Amino acid sequence: MFGLSMSITLFFPSFDFISAESTWVGLDKALSNGRTMGWSFEDPLVRGDGKPLTVILDKDPKTGETIDPPVRAYVYKPGTPLASPINHPNNLGPTVKSLGFSKGKIDQASKEAGAVFTISYADVNGEEWAYPELASVTRGWTVEATLATAGDENTRYVGKGKQVYTTEQCWWCHTLLPEHTQDWQVFGWPPYQGDMNGEMPTAFGSDRKAPDLLHVASRNSSREWMMMHFFNPRLVQPNSIMPRFDYLWGKVDVNGNPIDYAKWRKEYEAYRKGEVAYPPEVPEYARDSEIRALIDWILTSLK
Amino acid sequence: MLFKYLTAKNEDIPPGTATIYFGFSSILWFIIGTGLGSFNAAKLAFPDFVTGTELFAFGHMRQVHVLAVILGWISMAFAMTMMYMTPALGNTRLWSEKLGVWTAFLWNVGLSLGLFLLWLGFTSGREYSDLIWPIDLVVVFGVLLPLGINVWMTIAQRKTQGIYITNWFFGACIFMVIIVFLVGNSAELFNLTGLTEGYLTFWFAHNVLGLWITPVAAAIAYYTIPKLSGNPLYSHRIGHLHFWAIIAFYSTPASHHLLSAPLPEWLKSFASVEGVLILIPAVAFVANILLTIKGRWSMFVENIETKFSITGVLLAIPLNMQGGFQQTRAINWYVHGTGWIVAHAHLALLGMSSFLEIAAVYFGLQQMLKRKLYSLALANFHYWFVIIGFCIYWISMTIAGLIQGGGKIYEVPYIDVVIAEHPYMIARWIGGTMVFTGNVVWLYNMYMTAREGTVVPKGRYAHELAYER
Ligand code: HEM
C-alpha cells in the first residue's frame, strides 16, 4: 500500500519532471544562481560564497564590438561550482540539452578553469529555443575580460543575492508563485514548467503575508526605493509589517565610514514622533554588502 | 541526575526512566516552542518590537518555532508515549531502557544544535525540511532509527497474542517517517533541483504531518481513552480501517499544497481526490473514540486527562472537515496562502495533536513517577489557558485569512490587507501568550508532582485518586 502510493506520487511524476524543457527564465535562474543555495560545502557560512556573477554586456569582451540589445553573461571564476544543469544536463530537458551540447559546447565547461556562459537562441522546427552556451569556448570570452568589460556598475551579484533571500528567509511572508486565479493581474504571470529547472531551492513559499515577488521588478525597478524600503520599510510604507533589514548594510557604508545605527534610530524616532520634518538619510551601501547583492537579485531576476 | 543513567547498565535503569526523561524534555520544548511562537506573533503585530539584529528578525525565528514544536514538543511527546505504551500493551518491558535514555539525550543535543544553526541562518531554504542535511542525518540515524529499533523490538518481544492498534501505528509510523525524511531530504543530498525539489519539499511537509503527527496522536488516543474510561475500544476493526486508510490516502495528496505550481495536472487532480478521501480515516477515528467513551462522559468533566484527550478528538472534527475540503481547487483558490492555513495548521498541531499528547504526558508521567498530580487546580488552569488561548488564535487567524482571501480575489492593494489584519495579529499574539503561560504552569505542576506528589499505591491508577487527599 505504502509502496503503491510511493510510486504514484514519486515515480510517475518523475517522468513529467524529466521531460520539462528549460525556458529562458529557467536557464537564467540556473546559470545565475550557481550549483545550490543554502548551506553547502562551497558556502559553509551561508554568506553567498562560491556563486557566479551575472554581468550585463553591451560590448563583446573579445572583439569590443557593440552588443545591442545588451546580453547577460554568467561568470564562473575558477573554482566556482558549476550550475546544476551543467553538471547534470538532463535537467535541461531533452531538446535544450542537445542544443546545449551541439551548439553551446557546455560539455567542455570545467570548474577548475572557470567558465563564462550566455544564453542563445536556435531555431528547431520553426520554433525558437533558448539554450545555454559556453561563451568562453564558442566566443573566446575569458573570465577576466568579461568582468573587465562589464565593470562594477554592470555586474550583478545575483547568486549571492538569492543566498541572502535564503538566509533571511523572506518566504515566510512573500511568495515566488503567483496563483492561477486572479493573482496574475496584480502579481504577474504564474511560472511555466521549465522556469525553474536547475533552481535549488525554489522557495515558492506557502504562507503569504505580503506581495508576491516573482515579478516585483516589473512593477518597481527603483534601486533608491528598494534601499529605503529595506533599511526601514516604514520610511516608504508607514503601515508595513516588514522587518527592517538595516543589518544587511554591514558595518561600513560605500566610502568605508562606519554606519552609526544608534544615531540613525534616534533621528528616525524623532521623525516618527513628528519632532522633525524629514527622516535621516539612508546610508549608501558598500559595494560588497549583502544588501547590494539582494537588490541586484531582485532587480535582475524578478522581472 | 538523569545523566547518570547514560552510563549505567541496562538492568540497573529503573523502568520508566526513558519515559520520564522524554516527558520532561517534551514539556520544556513545548515551553520554548510556544514562547518563540508568541514572540513571532508579537513581531507580526508590531514589526519594530525587537529590531536591529538579524537574530531576532522574523525570518530567522519563524521556522525555529515550527521545528521546536514539531520535532521538540510533539515528536518527543510521541517518543515518551511510545516508551510506556508499547511495553504496557505488549505486557512486557521496554526492549532497552538505556537506548531510550540515549535517544532522548541525543535528541535534545541534536535538535538544540540544529535549531541554533537554523536560527543563525543555516538553512536549506526548504519549508519544513529547513534543517541542513547533516542535521537531517542526525535526526534519522541518531534519533528516529534508535527510537524505531526500541519500539519494534519491544513489539517483537511482546507477551500478548495480537498487536493492539496503537502499536500498529507506532511501529508503522516510525518506519514511514524515516522514509519520509530520507526521500524528502534527498533533494539536498543529491542536488535535485527545480520542480522536483519544490515538489519534494511539500511531499515532505505533507507526509511528515500525515504519516507522523496526526496518526501517532490518534494512536495515543486509542490507548488513553479506553485506559482512562475503563471501556474497551469500541471496534478494533474500525481502528484497522483507520490505519490502512491513512496509509492509502494520506500518503498521496502532497501536491495539493502546490495547486498553483506548474506540476502535472493529473497529479494535482489525483491529490485533490485523495485529499477528500482522508475523511474516511478521520471519521473512523473520531467515531471510534466517541463510541468508546460512551457512558463515561462524566469523565470529560471530572478527569483532566480525559478532558484534554476528548477535546483533542473533538477538535479533529473541524480539522478534517477543513482539511478535506480546503484542498480542493474549488476552495483552495480562496484560502491558499492566507492566515486561514495558519489557523488550520494550529488546529492540527496545537488543537488536535497537542491536546492528545498533553493528556498522554500527564497520564504517563504520573504513572511512571508513581505519584499523583501535585495540583488538579493548576492542571485545570493549564487546560483553560490552552483551550481559550488556542480558540482566540484559531478564530482570529481564520478571520484574518478570510479577509486576506477576499483581498486577493478582489485585488485590493496589498497594504490595505496588511492594515485590515492588524487587529487579528494582536489577538493571535494574546491567544498564543495564554498558551505559553499555561505551559509554564504545567511544567511547574509536573516538577512539583515529581518532587511532592502523593505516592500512588501499587495496583492503583493515579487518576483514580484524583479527588482523594
Ligand atoms: C503559544 C502558542 C503559539 C503561537 C503564538 C504560535 C505562533 C505562530 C506564528 C506567529 C507562526 C507564523 C505564522 C505565519 O507565518 O503567519 C506560527 C507558525 C506555525 N506554528 Fe505556531 N504558534 C503557537 C503554538 C504552536 C504549536 C503548539 C504548534 C505545534 C504543536 C505550532 C505549529 C506551527 C506550525 C506548523 C506553523 C507553520 C504554519 C504554516 O506553515 O502555515 N504552533 N506559529
Side-chain angles (χ1 to χ4, degrees), chain A residues 1-10 12-14 16-18 20 35-41 43-46 82-85 87-88 91 163 166-173 175 177-183 185-187 190-212 232-234 237-248 265 268 272 290, chain B residues 43-45 47-48 51-55 57-60 62-63 118-128 130 132-134 175-176 179-180 183 187-188 190-203 207 211 244 247-248 251-254 257-268 270 329 332-334 336-339 341-342 404 408-411 414-415 418-419 421-422 425 428:
Chain A
M1 199 79 98
F2 189 50
L4 180 71
S5 66
M6 285 280 196
S7 46
I8 296 177
T9 57
L10 292 174
F12 294 168
S14 68
D16 293 273
F17 295 149
I18 234 164
R35 192 182 76 90
T36 186
M37 294 289 153
W39 186 85
S40 62
F41 288 122
D43 189 12
L45 296 176
V46 290
L82 298 175
S84 150
N87 290 329
H88 311 284
N91 285 349
Q163 176 59 53
T166 310
T167 309
E168 299 304 325
Q169 302 170 52
C170 314
W171 63 81
W172 300 133
C173 295
T175 47
L177 188 67
E179 292 171 29
H180 280 171
T181 50
Q182 260 91 332
D183 241 12
Q185 296 183 9
V186 187
F187 295 138
Y192 292 101
Q193 205 179 22
D195 278 1
M196 41 253 173
N197 287 16
E199 191 184 10
M200 162 80 191
T202 40
F204 289 139
S206 66
D207 181 2
R208 190 191 278 171
K209 298 180 262 307
D212 189 276
N232 185 338
R234 261 96 31 224
Q237 182 44 271
N239 293 306
S240 178
I241 57 160
M242 179 156 145
R244 302 182 195 185
F245 288 98
D246 45 5
Y247 54 83
L248 294 178
R265 292 207 183 102
Y268 172 74
R272 207 179 54 82
E290 291 181 308
Chain B
K43 293 216 60 142
L44 288 178
D48 284 333
T51 187
T53 151
E54 64 194 281
L55 290 185
F58 180 75
H60 283 254
R62 189 227 192 232
Q63 207 59 4
L118 184 60
W119 184 28
L120 295 181
F122 292 83
T123 168
S124 65
R126 305 177 58 228
E127 197 167 349
Y128 289 98
D130 306 69
I132 58 177
W133 59 262
F175 170 74
M176 292 190 293
I179 305 280
V180 167
V183 175
E188 286 152 58
F190 304 113
N191 195 24
L192 306 179
T193 56
L195 266 187
T196 318
E197 182 275 327
Y199 178 55
L200 280 179
T201 300
F202 283 91
W203 187 89
N207 285 339
L211 300 179
W244 288 108
I247 294 190
S251 55
T252 44
H257 295 263
L258 285 174
L259 288 179
S260 279
L263 288 172
E265 288 299 316
W266 68 263
L267 187 61
K268 291 190 227 170
F270 177 75
R329 291 181 205 236
N332 192 262
W333 69 293
Y334 200 85
H336 178 75
T338 68
I341 306 294
V342 178
Q404 231 179 319
K408 177 168 81 174
I409 303 311
Y410 298 110
E411 297 170 42
Y414 207 92
I415 192 64
V418 174
I419 296 169
E421 279 186 300
H422 185 63
M425 293 287 170
R428 178 238 307 257

Side-chain angles (χ1 to χ4, degrees), chain A residues 223-224 226-228 230-232 235 246-255 257-261 264-265 267 280-286 289 291 295:
Chain A
R223 209 167 257 274
E224 193 68 15
M226 291 288 164
M227 237 175 83
M228 292 175 71
F230 281 121
F231 201 81
N232 185 338
L235 284 175
D246 45 5
Y247 54 83
L248 294 178
W249 264 248
K251 291 201 166 53
V252 293
D253 67 7
V254 64
N255 301 317
N257 301 325
I259 302 175
D260 189 345
Y261 290 104
W264 196 95
R265 292 207 183 102
E267 289 173 13
E281 284 285 323
V282 170
E284 194 77 43
Y285 51 73
S289 59
I291 188 64
I295 298 180

Side-chain angles (χ1 to χ4, degrees), chain A residues 97-149:
Chain A
K97 174 182 166 188
S98 81
L99 286 172
F101 278 178
S102 61
K103 294 180 176 261
K105 309 283 178 235
I106 55 168
D107 47 330
Q108 297 179 26
S110 107
K111 172 180 162 188
E112 288 69 34
V116 179
F117 294 94
T118 187
I119 302 174
S120 300
Y121 291 95
D123 195 78
V124 180
N125 301 332
E127 262 184 78
E128 198 173 54
W129 288 78
Y131 67 90
E133 179 177 330
L134 180 59
S136 31
V137 166
T138 55
R139 310 184 187 202
W141 295 357
T142 61
V143 169
E144 298 76 32
T146 311
L147 288 177
T149 309

